[in-house]
Each structure stands twice: as C-alpha cells, then as structure tokens.
C-alpha cells in the first residue's frame, strides 16, 4: 500500500485570514526574530509570524521597544523570511519609522516587502494613524493595526498599563477599531484590554482581531515566543502562559557542558575526528624535532 502524501500547506494570505474569521476558525500568531524559530513555528502550522519590535526587549535587551531601528527590524525580518514558507509574515514598523510623515511611513513600509521578504506590516495607533494606514494600503502594502496597550506609547501611558478600562476609554477603542478597518487594515491586534471590550470589537468588525491579554473572545491569539518558551525571565505579564522553561533548560545545559569540559568527559571519542595511522606516521616523520624544553609556538 502506498503512503498517502502529506498535502502541501498553502501560503497564508490576508484574504485567507479573513476567510478563517468568516468560517469561525481561530487565527494563531507568534513572534519570531531568527531563522531557526521561524522554521519551527512554520512547521507547527501557525498562521501568522510577527517579527515584532518586542525584538528590542526580548532579544536586544532594551527596557522598551523605543530604541529599535529600521535596520534592526529588516535584519531580523530577513532571517525569519528564510525560515518560514507558509505563514503570513508581518514586519513591525519601529518607533519613528511611520510617525514623522506619511511619505516616510510609506517608504519604510515598502522596505519591509522589498528588502526583507515580509508580506505585510503592522503599526501601532488608533484614529490618529488612519491617514497613514490609508496611504500605505494605497501603495499596495497590507497593514495590521494595533490598539490598546501600544508599547511604543509606554511613556504616554506611564508604564505598560492595561487600556480601555473605563466606559469612555473602551468606547474610544471600539470606534478606533472601526476606523482602522475603514482605513484598510486587514486585521487588528488588541493588546491588554478587558475581555468584554475585545469581544465587542471582534463582533462589530469584519476583519480578524488578534488578542494578546485581551481574552478568548478575539478571532485569534498572539504571544511573544520568548515569553511562551520561558526564555525571557526579566518579567512575565499576567496574560502570558509559559509552555516551556527554556531559560532554566539553557542554564542546566550550560552548567553540564562546563562540568564535562572541566572533567575531560567532553569531547568523547564519538565527538572526535581521527586520522589514518599511515598518514599520522608520515606526518610525524616529516616534522622537525622539538628542541628540549622549548614549545613549537616559541
Ligand atoms: O512587538 C510585538 O511582539 C507585538 C506583539 C506583542 C503583538 O507587537
């Protein structure tokens, strides 16, 4: 009996994401910043890979996402694009790459597609970003919105704080989501907002909402992969579930490696390259003798 071939997975697109929402299927999204992680996420059939500017905090060690540059983002996006073949790839526009002028925003958004293999871009902000989003979408570049706790506004918020807790703030978020949809966004990230508010937004707009700290009523979920894997141990937001403790596992592996090297049990014969005896003898015969008490390096 011949084996049934595994069906080729189709590339996820902005329209296939929308179709998922229409069919009531949940969208999955994770962040990646390098080739190996992108490959593993893609093989797990996660729908969307976001090269988030969370890069600044979980990979580059900054306290906020603000220092991340276009060059940082494009470098990591290229690595992710080499690893992922089917997930929809989203490049996160870093702080000050889209706020100064619409022309600069369109040019920088274009660089994600032209120079780093991304399929779409994401940017933070509500109604104040509508004209910018429209211009980027008009240039043929799909845009994912991001409202709620938008980390690039950390200083405006006075910290990484949940948004939309009052009726007034929640209403503004609901309006913002509608405005972003009208501006042409194909999807919106809802970060750290009350679950009931996220559910209302998800019911009222036709494009998929992707929640992080926004409860189960969103059309999809996203986590920062370093949080999910337990790789980032500086702090863990309440909404993160750790599915592994890779930081602990790394510490264990590094300590074991050190002990084995110091104890001469690594490298063992199976990790060692040997040389044919005849070649070895020929080499020894060809070498001039080492002078007594003087090393060859001297
Ligand atoms: O930068 C990022 O990783 C993000 C996610 C938290 C959505 O924006």
């Amino acid at each position: 009996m011949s084996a049934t071939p595994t069906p080729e997975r189709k590339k996820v697109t902005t329209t296939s994401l929308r179709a998922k929402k229409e069919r009531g299927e949940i969208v999955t999204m994770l962040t990646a910043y390098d080739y190996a992680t992108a490959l593993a996420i893609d093989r797990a059939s996660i729908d969307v890979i976001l090269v988030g500017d969370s890069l600044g905090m979980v990979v580059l060690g900054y306290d906020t996402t603000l220092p991340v540059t276009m060059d940082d983002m494009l470098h990591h996006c290229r690595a992710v694009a080499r690893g992922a073949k089917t997930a929809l790839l989203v490049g996160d526009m870093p702080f000050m790459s889209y706020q100064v002028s619409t022309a600069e925003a369109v040019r920088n958004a274009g660089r994600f597609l032209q120079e780093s293999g991304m399929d779409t871009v994401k940017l933070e902000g509500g109604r104040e970003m509508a004209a910018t989003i429209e211009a980027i979408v008009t240039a043929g570049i799909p845009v994912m919105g991001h409202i709620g706790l938008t980390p690039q506004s950390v200083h405006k918020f006075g910290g990484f704080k949940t948004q939309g807790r009052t009726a007034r703030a929640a209403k503004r978020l609901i309006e913002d989501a509608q405005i972003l949809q009208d501006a042409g966004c194909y999807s919106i990230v809802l970060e750290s907002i009350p679950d009931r508010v996220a559910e209302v937004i998800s019911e009222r707009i036709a494009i998929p909402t992707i929640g992080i700290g926004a409860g189960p009523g969103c059309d999809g979920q996203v986590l920062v992969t370093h949080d999910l894997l337990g790789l980032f141990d500086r702090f863990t937001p309440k909404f993160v579930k750790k599915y592994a403790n890779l930081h602990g596992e790394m510490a264990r592996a590094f300590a074991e490696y050190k002990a084995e090297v110091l104890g001469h049990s690594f490298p063992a014969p199976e990790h060692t390259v040997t040389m044919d005896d005849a070649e070895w003898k020929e080499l020894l015969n060809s070498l001039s003798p080492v002078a007594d008490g003087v090393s060859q390096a001297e």
Side-chain angles (χ1 to χ4, degrees):
M1 209 168 77
S2 65
T4 321
T6 4
E8 280 276 302
R9 280 191 302 121
K10 277 205 191 131
K11 172 80 184 166
V12 179
T13 63
T14 56
T15 46
S16 66
L17 276 197
R18 173 85 170 249
K20 270 201 155 197
K21 172 160 180 158
E22 283 159 10
R23 291 194 300 268
E25 290 173 21
I26 296 174
V27 174
T28 52
M29 171 160 127
L30 284 174
T31 65
Y33 318 97
D34 63 79
Y35 167 82
T37 312
L39 190 68
I41 293 176
D42 206 48
R43 284 182 178 163
S45 300
I46 297 292
D47 297 308
V48 186
I49 297 182
L50 168 68
V51 187
D53 64 353
S54 48
L55 163 81
M57 297 178 73
V58 301
V59 175
L60 304 178
Y62 298 126
D63 289 336
T64 70
T65 57
L66 303 184
V68 177
T69 64
M70 275 298 293
D71 284 345
D72 291 333
M73 290 306 302
L74 295 176
H75 175 73
H76 287 270
C77 284
R78 282 185 208 107
V80 167
R82 286 191 282 268
K85 297 293 164 245
T86 49
L88 180 72
L89 300 180
V90 186
D92 212 1
M93 297 195 70
F95 184 54
M96 283 298 122
S97 69
Y98 57 98
Q99 292 91 340
V100 176
S101 74
T102 307
E104 227 178 280
V106 175
R107 193 165 301 116
N108 281 323
R111 293 187 68 194
F112 278 93
L113 275 65
Q114 205 166 35
E115 298 175 35
S116 76
M118 293 292 102
D119 303 314
T120 83
V121 297
K122 174 171 87 58
L123 60 84
E124 298 181 5
R127 63 198 70 195
E128 69 283 3
M129 283 300 147
T132 305
I133 292 168
E134 263 181 50
I136 297 173
V137 174
T138 302
I141 303 162
V143 177
M144 176 180 274
H146 183 163
I147 56 174
L149 168 49
T150 43
Q152 291 174 16
S153 302
V154 59
H155 297 309
K156 186 169 97 183
F157 296 147
F160 294 104
K161 292 184 179 155
T162 296
Q163 301 297 304
R165 277 199 150 129
T166 63
R168 191 154 167 248
K171 185 149 186 279
R172 197 174 161 86
L173 282 177
I174 295 165
E175 288 167 0
D176 275 347
Q178 185 65 57
I179 292 169
L180 292 194
Q181 170 172 277
D182 295 345
C185 281
Y186 70 89
S187 172
I188 303 177
V189 168
L190 305 178
E191 179 164 353
S192 197
I193 65 172
D195 54 354
R196 291 197 276 201
V197 179
E199 205 171 325
V200 169
I201 293 175
S202 307
E203 280 164 11
R204 285 178 175 233
I205 60 175
I207 56 176
T209 59
I210 305 188
I212 173 161
C218 300
D219 303 307
Q221 296 293 328
V222 56
L223 278 178
V224 169
T225 293
H226 282 52
D227 289 337
L228 171 156
L229 293 176
L231 260 175
F232 181 67
D233 77 332
R234 218 162 356 129
F235 63 87
T236 308
K238 173 181 158 50
F239 52 74
V240 166
K241 178 170 176 184
K242 283 192 182 181
Y243 288 82
N245 175 15
L246 291 198
H247 189 81
E249 183 58 13
M250 280 196 326
R252 185 205 57 72
F254 298 152
E256 193 175 325
Y257 163 74
K258 180 174 177 182
E260 289 198 357
V261 171
L262 297 185
H264 302 284
S265 59
F266 178 81
E270 66 269 27
H271 310 118
T272 306
V273 178
T274 56
M275 190 175 185
D276 178 74
D277 282 347
E279 294 293 337
W280 177 239
K281 271 191 194 136
E282 188 181 327
L283 172 68
L284 290 182
N285 289 336
S286 73
L287 294 178
S288 50
V290 181
D292 264 358
V294 182
S295 89
Q296 273 184 317
E298 289 171 321

